[in-house]
Amino acid sequence: MEITQRQKIIFKTIVEEFTRCAEPVGSKTLMELLDFPVSSATIRNEMATLEKLGLLEKTHTSSGRIPSQKGYRYYVEHLMEADLDVSTKNALQQVFSERHYSLEEVVQKSCDILSHMTNLTSVVLGPDSRHQTLQHVQLIPINNQSAVAIIVTDQGHTENKVFQFGTDVSMQDIQNCTDLLNDQLVGTPIENVVDKMKEIEPMMAAKLVRHEVLFEAFVSAFMRFATEKVAVSGRSNMLYQPEFSDINKLKQMMRILENGNLFHQWTDQEGNVAIQIGERNELLQIGDCSVLTTKFHYNSDEEGQLMVVGPNRMQYSKVVALMDYMSNVIEDVFGTDKNKGGANDEQRRK
């Protein structure tokens, strides 16, 4: 699609003003926002041309224009300038450098930050570990009633889990349990570990004094490990979006966000429009909703996704820049270096 430089500037201004204030943009507003002299009549003619091209739409309640679905796609592909200010970059770096986070904590923390900084709903998907195999288990005592379990898969995925036993467990029991689990479970697919543990429970009962406590703790840990890691944050932000003023529409969206299967069905339905943004970002349009996704890596084999869900009228440049940079920060936390999305080491240090 070929449009003139002036039309690009006018269109870009309309998109960014509408995403900011949620009000249709008219020629008088544009005259104040544009940094070059142009008459109201000329602006109206350009807006009419952009409407014919399918990039703008009229509303019933105003003479102004709003971007169409096609318009948002054009903006994201051709006009968007995604960048974050240095203070935001430093704040994100600081959050994740304060302490060592487990995978589960990183997923939840990322989700909370995204929803807070975008005022939208965020979804973070961690890697699916079910089809990996167990490579090593280590149980490190903290005191007589607690220990840290370290679970490692064949793909280098590591999970830490603190066990509170509620009763004294001897050092000998902890050592014997660790040896038994490594002897019997190594090489077992994560999704089958719980069933395998049930098979070896009689062996645990024969070798461990507190076998019931240790058995229940590890079964619980492996069940959590084998489930897809999903975090959702900022559902209530939907309440403040004019596009969700219809209570039935809002209720339906809340149900989708609270149910992983419904969410996948919603994003996978026929008729959705997806466009690629750079190497690892994607915009998915579902009716009057948009889902922005950014991929990130925990290691060379495992991939996760950051997602932001909101109306088509969202500040794409800010959201994409935030998600892209956060992905880099997460990869730094786990020591990966995919250099996706054009970021380099010098940018990450800023």
Side-chain angles (χ1 to χ4, degrees), residues 45-282:
N45 287 336
E46 298 288 36
M47 291 169 73
T49 300
L50 292 167
E51 186 178 350
K52 287 178 183 177
L53 292 171
L55 300 179
L56 295 179
E57 296 176 343
K58 277 183 180 177
T59 65
H60 298 298
T61 57
S62 169
S63 59
R65 305 293 201 284
I66 65 173
S68 64
Q69 270 200 345
K70 181 180 178 181
Y72 285 120
R73 294 198 296 274
Y74 184 87
Y75 170 80
V76 167
E77 288 185 284
H78 302 287
L79 302 176
M80 181 180 71
E81 299 172 12
D83 194 21
L84 281 185
D85 58 85
V86 173
S87 62
T88 301
K89 291 180 179 180
N90 290 340
L92 288 174
Q93 288 281 7
Q94 185 64 31
V95 166
F96 287 103
S97 65
E98 287 176 352
R99 56 186 286 263
H100 178 70
Y101 288 100
S102 69
L103 174 59
E104 192 171 333
E105 288 174 320
V106 166
V107 168
Q108 186 60 59
K109 194 77 175 175
S110 302
C111 203
D112 293 341
I113 291 172
L114 267 180
S115 65
H116 175 72
M117 298 187 76
T118 63
N119 291 317
L120 297 168
T121 303
S122 63
V123 181
V124 179
L125 302 180
D128 187 349
S129 307
R130 290 173 295 177
H131 304 301
Q132 299 179 35
T133 60
L134 184 66
Q135 178 152 331
H136 182 69
V137 176
Q138 188 172 3
L139 196 57
I140 303 171
I142 299 174
N143 54 46
N144 288 343
Q145 295 195 8
S146 63
V148 177
I150 301 172
I151 302 169
V152 183
T153 74
D154 62 322
Q155 293 186 20
H157 186 137
T158 303
E159 281 285 302
N160 301 326
K161 172 69 176 175
V162 177
F163 293 153
Q164 301 292 341
F165 300 123
T167 186
D168 286 353
V169 176
S170 69
M171 290 282 291
Q172 190 62 53
D173 255 6
I174 287 177
Q175 184 61 54
N176 289 343
C177 181
T178 301
D179 293 343
L180 178 61
L181 294 180
N182 280 309
D183 182 59
Q184 296 294 320
L185 299 181
V186 168
T188 304
I190 296 296
E191 62 182 351
N192 297 333
V193 166
V194 172
D195 289 338
K196 188 71 179 288
M197 280 199 68
K198 291 176 181 177
E199 293 177 12
I200 67 170
E201 186 178 8
M203 296 175 64
M204 294 181 71
K207 293 189 175 184
L208 309 175
V209 176
R210 296 291 188 184
H211 80 276
E212 303 99 333
V213 173
L214 290 162
F215 176 80
E216 290 175 8
F218 271 101
V219 165
S220 173
F222 282 120
M223 287 179 70
R224 288 172 63 89
F225 196 24
T227 57
E228 186 178 31
K229 291 166 178 61
V230 183
V232 181
S233 187
R235 293 183 184 88
S236 61
N237 288 336
M238 290 291 184
L239 297 170
Y240 305 104
Q241 303 297 334
E243 290 83 353
F244 294 96
S245 57
D246 182 332
I247 190 66
N248 291 324
K249 191 177 189 179
L250 180 63
K251 286 179 178 178
Q252 181 184 18
M253 179 56 66
M254 291 297 184
R255 283 197 296 270
I256 289 170
L257 293 171
E258 290 168 2
N259 185 306
N261 290 330
L262 285 178
F263 184 80
H264 284 299
Q265 289 174 22
W266 182 63
T267 55
D268 292 342
Q269 63 187 316
E270 188 176 350
N272 293 347
V273 179
I275 62 168
Q276 196 70 24
I277 310 169
E279 290 186 38
R280 66 175 174 188
N281 306 309
E282 184 179 79

